[in-house]
Amino acid sequence: MRSRLRLFLPLILTLGLGALLLLGLGNNPYSQDEATLGRTLPAWQSDNLLDGSPIQTASLKGEPFVLNVWASWCPNCRAEHPLLGELARAVPLYGLNYRDKGDAARAWLMEAGNPYRAVLADPDGKLALELGVYGTPETY
């Protein structure tokens, strides 16, 4: 009896693992976005990375806009940057510089072009965490 169990144990384990993987395929990969639907932008005050002037999220109320979370050290952010220039022609685009050094971020914008109306500095990532950011880039 024991030898039969040892014979079928790999098959049973493989079928169990396959069933778990099949269940995982049914999950919605965009469910994170659904969790943030309808949420408002948290109250925040920061320095505008571009000119040092203070900027508050309250001042952004009243018109629809797109918020892009990015960092100069992020390769995916660099890859999507040309698309943001096109997007900025259609809608107001604001940036949230996530866990970055201000000098590196400004240098990147000078090199690649600046599509943003303003860039909120978030060097410690607190605002990004309040937004539910898991990594960069992220766009709201």
Side-chain angles (χ1 to χ4, degrees):
M1 180 77 166
R2 235 181 191 179
S3 64
R4 283 187 175 177
L5 182 61
R6 284 187 181 169
L7 183 64
F8 288 108
L9 189 59
L11 177 63
I12 293 168
L13 290 174
T14 302
L15 288 174
L17 182 61
L20 287 174
L21 289 173
L22 212 77
L23 285 172
L25 288 174
N27 289 340
N28 181 0
Y30 302 106
S31 61
Q32 172 188 344
D33 295 336
E34 292 170 5
T36 59
L37 283 176
R39 286 182 46 198
T40 58
L41 190 62
W44 185 261
Q45 182 172 340
S46 176
D47 291 333
N48 185 341
L49 188 69
L50 304 176
D51 62 12
S53 64
I55 186 169
Q56 301 175 23
T57 54
S59 67
L60 303 177
K61 289 183 180 179
E63 70 172 315
F65 64 91
V66 173
L67 179 67
N68 176 251
V69 182
W70 65 281
S72 63
W73 47 261
C74 166
N76 291 332
C77 299
R78 289 177 177 250
E80 82 167 1
H81 196 79
L83 298 172
L84 294 174
E86 294 176 29
L87 178 64
R89 290 187 210 119
V91 295
L93 179 64
Y94 291 87
L96 175 64
N97 187 243
Y98 175 71
R99 293 188 173 195
D100 205 350
K101 294 182 176 153
D103 291 338
R106 282 186 289 278
W108 165 246
L109 290 176
M110 290 291 290
E111 178 186 329
N114 179 15
Y116 305 109
R117 287 189 178 184
V119 178
L120 290 138
D122 191 16
D124 54 7
K126 286 183 182 178
L127 176 57
L129 287 176
E130 289 180 37
L131 288 170
V133 171
Y134 287 91
T136 56
E138 191 80 48
T139 304
Y140 297 92

